[in-house]
């Protein structure tokens, strides 16, 4: 995807005092903020992230030794197409990597014109994109946290996975020194802390034995360097290599691997063809047929998936 030039990617630091810094991050319109909020709200880990009544997304974040919280909402200043990001002053020294993570989380470098042109020749996708041109693919501010959430979501409802994610955070995650104004209390669960746990300790909060073992193995694969892509900001030069290493872990299937590649690694061509929702959106076709059809959607199949899910 075309990226905005550096001068526009993270404008200037437009305010800074002892409590908060504010940054405006521009994007190419249109942007379907309600759709993005609905997605994030349903999956918000209690104590770690939330969506407020006024339509602001808030979450805690750890970048190196810096810890704090961010609050993100559309900016109404100067008529710009931008998101306003308020961050704890404690995170200001990590401004550049923080901005990169927020841009990845909200898919701010996507160009709706490029997406629309790419799908112009496809009868189904061209109609869906024209109907909702501002849809974006949600990313991840913390790649390991997203991978953990994906594992917790296997074979359970979104609400059930959210409850389990909150329990894991309360059990293992580092607490903030003080609760935020939005009631956030914990940083995202870290691979380092989870890698030191036993499966039995996770079973005690309601996880199945298989799920608990999978999470511990995943955490250890991140800490021992097997999956370094999940240890930082989600950069990945070879998504297919990551998927091969990821599915080699016990309990990780193709759907989870593609979903994590789509969101945590921002791979624009990720496509979980086995997803029942995608097959339903295409009229109930088989996984094999969906894979065949999706070949014409490369290299933007993640956006095809997003529009098909939204069509349901």
């Amino acid at each position: 995807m075309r990226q905005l030039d550096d001068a526009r990617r993270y404008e200037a630091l437009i305010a800074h005092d002892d409590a908060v810094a504010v940054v405006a991050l521009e994007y190419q319109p249109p942007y379907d903020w309600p759709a993005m909020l609905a997605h994030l709200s349903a999956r918000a880990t209690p104590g770690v992230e939330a969506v407020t009544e006024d339509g602001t997304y808030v979450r805690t974040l750890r970048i190196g030794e810096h810890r704090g919280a961010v609050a993100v909402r559309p900016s109404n200043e100067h008529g710009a197409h931008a998101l306003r990001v308020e961050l704890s002053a404690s995170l200001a020294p990590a401004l550049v990597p923080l901005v990169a993570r927020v841009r990845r989380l909200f898919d701010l470098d996507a160009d709706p014109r490029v997406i629309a042109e790419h799908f112009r020749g496809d009868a189904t996708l061209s109609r869906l994109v024209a109907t909702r041109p501002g849809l974006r693919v949600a990313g991840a501010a913390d790649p390991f946290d997203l991978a953990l959430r994906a594992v917790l979501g296997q074979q359970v409802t979104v609400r059930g996975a959210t409850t389990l994610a909150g329990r894991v955070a309360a059990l293992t995650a580092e607490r903030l020194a003080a609760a935020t104004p939005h009631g956030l209390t914990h940083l995202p669960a870290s691979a380092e802390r989870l890698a030191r746990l036993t499966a039995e300790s996770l079973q005690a909060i309601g996880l199945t034995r298989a799920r608990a073992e999978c999470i511990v193995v995943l955490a250890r694969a991140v800490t021992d360097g097997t999956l370094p892509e999940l240890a930082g900001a989600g950069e990945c030069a070879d998504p297919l290599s990551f998927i091969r290493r990821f599915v080699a872990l016990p309990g990780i299937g193709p759907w989870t691997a593609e979903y994590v590649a789509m969101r945590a690694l921002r791979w624009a061509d990720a496509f979980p063809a086995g997803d029942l929702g995608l097959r339903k959106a295409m009229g109930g076709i088989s996984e094999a047929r969906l894979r065949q059809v999706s070949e014409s959607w490369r290299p933007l199949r993640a956006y095809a998936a997003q529009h098909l899910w939204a069509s349901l």
Side-chain angles (χ1 to χ4, degrees):
M1 298 300 296
R2 185 188 64 81
Q3 291 188 343
L4 301 175
D5 64 54
D6 288 344
R8 290 162 59 86
R9 285 189 63 198
Y10 34 88
E11 288 240 306
L13 187 63
I14 59 176
H16 188 191
D17 57 32
D18 291 338
V20 66
V22 180
V23 180
L25 303 183
E26 293 190 349
Y27 58 80
Q28 290 286 354
Y31 193 106
D32 194 334
W33 182 248
M36 178 64 74
L37 273 193
H39 178 93
L40 295 175
S41 177
R43 294 160 179 80
T45 300
V48 176
E49 54 186 335
V51 171
T52 68
E53 291 184 359
D54 68 351
T56 299
Y57 172 77
V58 295
R59 71 160 296 131
T60 61
L61 201 58
R62 176 198 309 105
I63 301 179
E65 297 303 313
H66 306 289
R67 290 151 170 75
V70 296
V72 185
R73 64 179 183 272
S75 172
N76 56 9
E77 298 180 13
H78 313 301
H81 299 292
L83 296 184
R84 174 186 171 92
V85 183
E86 297 180 2
L87 54 138
S88 305
S90 56
L91 287 173
L95 179 62
V96 172
L98 182 146
V99 162
R101 291 189 186 219
V102 173
R103 294 197 70 88
R104 291 167 68 86
L105 170 59
F106 292 101
D107 198 14
L108 296 185
D109 291 323
D111 189 332
R113 297 169 300 182
V114 172
I115 295 168
E117 178 61 25
H118 181 72
F119 294 119
R120 183 170 57 86
D122 186 280
T124 299
L125 268 299
S126 62
R127 173 177 53 82
L128 295 179
V129 172
T131 301
R132 304 187 69 175
L135 280 182
R136 307 291 172 115
V137 176
D142 184 308
F144 175 75
D145 186 47
L146 187 281
L148 170 63
R149 170 59 195 237
V151 171
L152 290 171
Q154 292 173 337
Q155 300 178 331
V156 300
T157 65
V158 171
R159 179 173 295 184
T162 297
T163 297
L164 292 174
R167 292 177 184 173
V168 171
L171 174 69
T172 70
E174 179 183 345
R175 290 188 65 90
L176 292 175
T180 72
H182 303 290
L184 305 183
T185 56
H186 288 78
L187 292 166
S190 71
E192 292 75 15
R193 289 189 173 212
L194 280 167
R196 295 195 292 267
L197 296 183
T198 63
E200 289 77 11
S201 61
L202 291 172
Q203 282 184 270
I205 61 172
L207 274 66
T208 65
R209 177 75 184 187
R211 193 68 43 80
E213 290 177 344
C214 180
I215 287 173
V216 173
V217 168
L218 169 63
R220 291 173 181 172
V222 174
T223 58
D224 70 14
T226 301
L227 295 173
E229 296 90 344
L230 299 179
E235 288 85 1
C236 181
D238 189 348
L240 293 177
S241 171
F242 166 81
I243 288 174
R244 286 193 295 270
R245 285 177 277 119
F246 197 24
V247 297
L249 301 182
I252 301 296
W255 185 95
T256 302
E258 292 279 351
Y259 182 77
V260 171
M262 177 188 296
R263 292 197 56 197
L265 306 186
R266 292 235 51 90
W267 186 31
D269 203 36
F271 191 74
D275 184 86
L276 293 176
L278 295 180
R279 292 168 55 193
K280 180 180 179 181
M282 288 296 292
I285 63 178
S286 68
E287 178 180 345
R289 176 59 179 155
L290 181 56
R291 288 189 183 278
Q292 183 181 34
V293 171
S294 74
E295 287 299 310
S296 66
W297 301 336
R298 290 183 183 273
L300 299 180
R301 293 189 302 172
Y303 292 93
Q306 190 66 45
H307 279 279
L308 290 171
W309 279 325
S311 73
L312 298 175

